[in-house]
Amino acid sequence: MPKKSDERGESTVELAVLAPVLFALVLAIVHAGAFWMSAQTAAAAATRGARAASMARDGREAFELGARAVEQTITELGAEIASAPVILSAGRNVRATVEVRVPSVVPFLPHSVTRTRELPLESYVSESDR
């Protein structure tokens, strides 16, 4: 059936209206994937940092071991750290906080993700004290 003359160009207008919406949706999906990957990387780095710091004997050694483990994990996973890791040893626990930069795809969405892990400090008990 031939098109009527008043419907000419209708498809072009529909495409012009829908194209930016579809393009924005695709960019949002790509950014969500990058955000998820960065969150997983930050969680892995925080876990490894807390685990390494939990084996230290004092706060300074905990920070050094934890920070080294975080940096190594971030490098292995190919991410970029947004700020220096925070390793805190308080009481019988150690806490590692890591912030990883999210690759920028959409300008108004988050550009970094932070994850924190807390583990108990390892304690050494000599054979005679058991």
Side-chain angles (χ1 to χ4, degrees), residues 63-129:
F63 177 78
E64 290 173 359
L65 290 174
R68 191 176 313 131
V70 166
E71 290 171 5
Q72 180 181 4
T73 304
I74 296 290
T75 303
E76 286 174 0
L77 296 177
E80 184 180 346
I81 197 159
S83 63
V86 178
I87 312 293
L88 298 173
S89 178
R92 300 197 39 83
N93 292 328
V94 64
R95 178 181 299 164
T97 303
V98 177
E99 185 178 7
V100 173
R101 193 173 315 277
V102 177
S104 180
V105 179
V106 181
F108 54 86
L109 292 178
H111 294 294
S112 67
V113 61
T114 304
R115 292 292 183 257
T116 300
R117 293 292 182 260
E118 187 169 336
L119 294 174
L121 288 172
E122 296 289 327
S123 59
Y124 174 75
V125 179
S126 66
E127 190 66 36
S128 62
D129 292 338

